[in-house]
Amino acid sequence: MTARRTTERRVFVRLLLAAASAALVVPALAADDQREAFERVATLFEQRCTRCHAGERAEKGLRLERDQVYRSTVNVPARSDPRLRRVAPGDPEASLLWRIVQPGE
């Protein structure tokens, strides 16, 4: 993969993670609303991420198929830091995906 392609992919992944994280860290949303908001980005995950993050052998256990993405991310302990959740609704600072997409992280 070329350096330009790698950079483009990183930018896309950060934008995708930002959209997904933002949909879930808004404290004012009820659980059903959070799930509905997350469905909006599930399509993007399916199109761009399921090559590596699908099925029983999903990379890092992070399954991003439409029927798995919510239960694989929301309130699931992050493998790299068990003090964090992959996505912690209403608590961006406790959300690993949110932290990943912040500038300087």
Side-chain angles (χ1 to χ4, degrees), residues 13-14 17-18 20-22 24-25 53 60 62 72-89 91-103 105:
V13 168
R14 284 184 177 258
L17 289 174
S21 297
L24 290 173
V25 297
H53 292 286
K60 297 185 180 181
L62 180 58
S72 183
T73 58
V74 176
N75 291 318
V76 174
R79 286 187 174 184
S80 61
D81 187 343
R83 297 170 298 165
L84 301 174
R85 300 287 178 242
R86 287 177 173 167
V87 173
D91 190 359
E93 291 305 312
S95 301
L96 178 64
L97 292 179
W98 181 256
R99 286 180 170 207
I100 288 172
V101 299
Q102 296 308 300
E105 297 285 321

Side-chain angles (χ1 to χ4, degrees), residues 44-88:
L44 292 173
F45 281 146
E46 281 187 329
Q47 293 171 350
R48 303 293 294 225
C49 305
T50 54
R51 180 174 171 205
C52 297
H53 292 286
E56 295 299 319
R57 296 180 188 231
E59 189 173 314
K60 297 185 180 181
L62 180 58
R63 295 187 65 177
L64 297 176
E65 306 102 300
R66 181 172 298 280
D67 64 337
Q68 298 291 322
V69 66
Y70 190 87
R71 73 182 73 137
S72 183
T73 58
V74 176
N75 291 318
V76 174
R79 286 187 174 184
S80 61
D81 187 343
R83 297 170 298 165
L84 301 174
R85 300 287 178 242
R86 287 177 173 167
V87 173

